[in-house]
Structure formats: structure tokens, C-alpha cells
């Protein structure tokens, strides 16, 4: 149980285009999902916390107009990188928290490798 | 505010040797503690967690960790490692009601034959 998927696993795009990444909890409902960014050989940096049906809460220094987050249902959150530039190239990972039973446990997706040319 | 310190950035060991990956934390509230493993180009997999109860926590793949409140530590151990345990290991802490995780910088465990 507690499986989280991400799509796509890898994307290459041209500078100036927008890219959408999907995060799905496959076998549980998640009121809260999180989006992280990971640079090579670095730890995870929390970008934003996404709650179903409400606006995402962004961490300091993360541009909300650049990284659009939508949490439309209890099993799906999307991250759209708008007008992507090479410096946005990174490994993006989402996680989802179980609604009940096992509080405070985040289950992570497999990640999406974004390369902006 | 919370913080996590993983004292070793890299730990090389030989196969079948025991290993301990160290983690210390600081927090002003009661904490939940986690260890995650990340294989190359993959997401994080939960190894084990401490929420409450017994301070010795057993996880997957033969790993265990002990929560020590007085020393604010949550070290990860395995009595005999395999080549397949080679990966990056992250210690993380959360506290309060917002489920935010604070990660350490990670420890690269390399198991050599």
C-alpha cells in the first residue's frame, strides 16, 4: 500500500515552454501533497505544500507564478513549471501524506527528471 | 524550528560488515522521525519511522533505528550489509500538525565487495 506515482518520469523541453508534472496517490487518499526539488548530490528542498481544494503554500524563495500547483482531488496534484529555463532543470519529487491511520508519514513518488535546453 | 544533522556524508563499508548511519535532530516540539533510502535516479522509499511507543524501531531490508530523546539522536543500523544497500540515506524529522519534513543532507552508503 501507500504507492505514489509521478508522470512523466523524464522530460526534456525547450527554454520558454511550460511543463506539467502529475503526482498521484494510487491506493490512498491524500489531503496533503508536497513538492520537492533535488539538485545533484543534494538533499531535498521543499517547494510547496498542497492541500486538496485550496491554494498551495509556498516556501520562502519559491516563485508561485513560476511553479503552479493544483490539487484538484484527493489523489492528484500537479506541478506546472511555466516558461521553463535551463536553471529550472532538476529532479522534482512529490510526496503524499495518508489521510488517516498513519499520520505524519509521507510517501514519495519516483521523481521526474526535468531538463530544459 | 527543526533541524537534522547527518554527521557523515559518506560511509564506505565492506559487504557483510555492520553499519551505523548517524542522525541528530533539534526541535522545540515533539517529533516524528524517519529514515528514507534513495537509489540512483529514484524517489525516496520509507525505511522506518518513529511516531511513538518503543524507541527501537525495525524497518524494511533488515534496518533498525533507536530513538534517543536525551541525546536527540535517531541512528540507523544494520548488522550485515549487502552490495544492494548501496544508496543515499536521508534522516528526516517532522513535528506539529503540518506534516512538513525537514531532511538531513544525506549519507551515501557504499558497500564494497
Amino acid at each position: 500500500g501507500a504507492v505514489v506515482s509521478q508522470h512523466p518520469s523524464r522530460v526534456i523541453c525547450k527554454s520558454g515552454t511550460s511543463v506539467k508534472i502529475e503526482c498521484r496517490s494510487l491506493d490512498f487518499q491524500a489531503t496533503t501533497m508536497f513538492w520537492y526539488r533535488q539538485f545533484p548530490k543534494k538533499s531535498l528542498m521543499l517547494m510547496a505544500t498542497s492541500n486538496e481544494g485550496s491554494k498551495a503554500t509556498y516556501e520562502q524563495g519559491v516563485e508561485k507564478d513560476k511553479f503552479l500547483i493544483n490539487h484538484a482531488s484527493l489523489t492528484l496534484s500537479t506541478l506546472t513549471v511555466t516558461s521553463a529555463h535551463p536553471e529550472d532543470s532538476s529532479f522534482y519529487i512529490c510526496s503524499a501524506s495518508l489521510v488517516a491511520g498513519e499520520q505524519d508519514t509521507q510517501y514519495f513518488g519516483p521523481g521526474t527528471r526535468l531538463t530544459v535546453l | 524550528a527543526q533541524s537534522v544533522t547527518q554527521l557523515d556524508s559518506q560511509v564506505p563499508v565492506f559487504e557483510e560488515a555492520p553499519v551505523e548511519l548517524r542522525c541528530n535532530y533539534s526541535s522545540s516540539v515533539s517529533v516524528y522521525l524517519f529514515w528514507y533510502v534513495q537509489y540512483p535516479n529514484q524517489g525516496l522509499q520509507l525505511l522506518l519511522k518513529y511516531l511513538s511507543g518503543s524507541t527501537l524501531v525495525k524497518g524494511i531490508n533488515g534496518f533498525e533505528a533507536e530513538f534517543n530523546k536525551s541525546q536527540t539522536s535517531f541512528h540507523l543500523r544494520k548488522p550485515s550489509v549487502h552490495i544492494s544497500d548501496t544508496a543515499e540515506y536521508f534522516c528526516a524529522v517532522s513535528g506539529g500538525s503540518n506534516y512538513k519534513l525537514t531532511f538531513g543532507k544525506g549519507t551515501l552508503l557504499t558497500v564494497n565487495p
Side-chain angles (χ1 to χ4, degrees):
Chain A
V3 178
V4 177
S5 70
Q6 274 183 250
H7 178 79
S9 59
R10 190 179 289 267
V11 57
I12 300 173
C13 69
K14 292 182 179 180
S15 187
T17 60
S18 294
V19 174
K20 180 186 283 188
I21 303 170
E22 290 186 351
C23 177
R24 292 182 185 272
S25 55
L26 298 184
D27 50 2
F28 67 99
Q29 293 182 323
T31 54
T32 306
M33 289 185 171
F34 302 83
W35 287 96
Y36 295 84
R37 185 171 178 177
Q38 186 178 33
F39 293 97
K41 299 189 185 300
K42 298 287 187 184
S43 188
L44 280 75
M45 181 191 79
L46 178 64
M47 298 173 67
T49 302
S50 167
N51 290 295
E52 186 264 339
S54 62
K55 291 184 178 180
T57 302
Y58 290 82
E59 294 300 300
Q60 192 172 9
V62 178
E63 300 175 58
K64 60 180 68 175
D65 295 330
K66 174 86 174 158
F67 299 100
L68 300 178
I69 291 172
N70 182 272
H71 194 156
S73 75
L74 286 172
T75 59
L76 172 64
S77 176
T78 59
L79 168 67
T80 301
V81 183
T82 62
S83 187
H85 292 283
E87 58 266 30
D88 299 324
S89 298
S90 194
F91 194 54
Y92 292 88
I93 308 176
C94 73
S95 72
S97 283
L98 282 172
V99 172
E102 294 188 357
Q103 291 188 349
D104 284 309
T105 301
Q106 289 184 32
Y107 293 89
F108 286 79
T112 297
R113 173 77 59 195
L114 170 63
T115 303
V116 185
L117 302 176
Chain B
Q2 299 163 166
S3 67
V4 177
T5 302
Q6 290 184 243
L7 296 162
D8 306 296
S9 60
Q10 297 186 54
V11 173
V13 295
F14 288 108
E15 194 173 17
E16 297 183 6
V19 70
E20 178 179 83
L21 306 183
R22 297 179 293 170
C23 173
N24 286 88
Y25 69 92
S26 67
S27 176
S28 57
V29 298
S30 296
V31 296
Y32 303 124
L33 293 155
F34 305 83
W35 276 99
Y36 288 90
V37 59
Q38 184 179 34
Y39 299 100
N41 296 310
Q42 295 186 28
L44 276 67
Q45 181 181 7
L46 180 66
L47 272 180
L48 50 78
K49 60 188 175 185
Y50 172 78
L51 302 181
S52 65
S54 173
T55 57
L56 182 62
V57 180
K58 293 188 183 299
I60 63 171
N61 301 342
F63 284 94
E64 64 179 34
E66 185 155 19
F67 170 56
N68 188 318
K69 189 174 181 179
S70 63
Q71 297 186 8
T72 60
S73 68
F74 190 56
H75 301 332
L76 181 71
R77 302 185 184 99
K78 185 169 182 177
S80 176
V81 295
H82 303 289
I83 299 283
S84 59
D85 292 324
T86 295
E88 190 87 30
Y89 291 79
F90 291 97
C91 181
V93 62
S94 74
S97 59
N98 64 8
Y99 308 134
K100 278 189 185 181
L101 280 174
T102 300
F103 284 89
K105 293 187 176 181
T107 297
L108 177 62
L109 173 64
T110 304
V111 181
N112 299 300

